[in-house]
Amino acid sequence: MGRPQVSRYESGRELMKLETLEKILATLSVEPEDFFRFLRSFDPSVRSYLGRVPNRVDDRLLAEAFQSLHTAIEQLRQVIERTVDPATWLSTLIKDDATRRAVTIDKPEP
């Protein structure tokens, strides 16, 4: 990356692509979480908030938990898509609705 490009990023005239940032962080052996935590340290509103929260959760643990949750949800979605045929699912919904309506109609009034 040339000096003019770095200057455009520094001045805010151009936004860096995520892929470029990932390459820079990998070259510098810096974890993305550490980089963004460092950037947040310059924001006075974040500093005052962090000062008020004595036992805040470790950002890395929270990020890992969200990633695990996202992975679990995606795996569950894939399992459901493989096991439930859309036509069968729709047919079941229609039958259930018809059964509910029939029970309501046939039910004697008190």
Side-chain angles (χ1 to χ4, degrees), residues 6-20:
V6 172
S7 177
R8 285 191 292 273
Y9 291 146
E10 290 175 339
S11 67
R13 286 182 283 148
E14 190 172 326
L15 292 177
M16 184 180 296
K17 293 180 184 177
L18 181 58
E19 297 160 349
T20 305

Side-chain angles (χ1 to χ4, degrees), residues 93-108:
L93 285 178
I94 292 170
K95 286 178 188 175
D96 288 348
D97 185 57
T99 303
R100 268 195 308 273
R101 290 173 189 249
V103 168
T104 305
I105 293 171
D106 296 340
K107 199 183 232 184

Side-chain angles (χ1 to χ4, degrees), residues 5 8 14 20-22 33 38 40 47 49 51 60-61 68-69 71 79 93 95 97 100-101 104-106 108:
Q5 184 65 35
R8 285 191 292 273
E14 190 172 326
T20 305
L21 178 60
E22 288 173 336
E33 295 86 5
F38 175 73
R40 281 193 313 234
R47 274 192 302 231
Y49 171 77
R60 187 173 301 205
L61 292 175
S68 296
L69 178 62
T71 301
V79 167
L93 285 178
K95 286 178 188 175
D97 185 57
R100 268 195 308 273
R101 290 173 189 249
T104 305
I105 293 171
D106 296 340

Side-chain angles (χ1 to χ4, degrees), residues 47-75:
R47 274 192 302 231
S48 64
Y49 171 77
L50 294 177
R52 290 185 307 224
V53 181
N55 295 323
R56 74 183 178 99
V57 176
D58 181 0
D59 290 342
R60 187 173 301 205
L61 292 175
L62 188 58
E64 289 173 4
F66 275 112
Q67 182 60 43
S68 296
L69 178 62
H70 177 72
T71 301
I73 290 170
E74 181 60 24
Q75 289 172 346

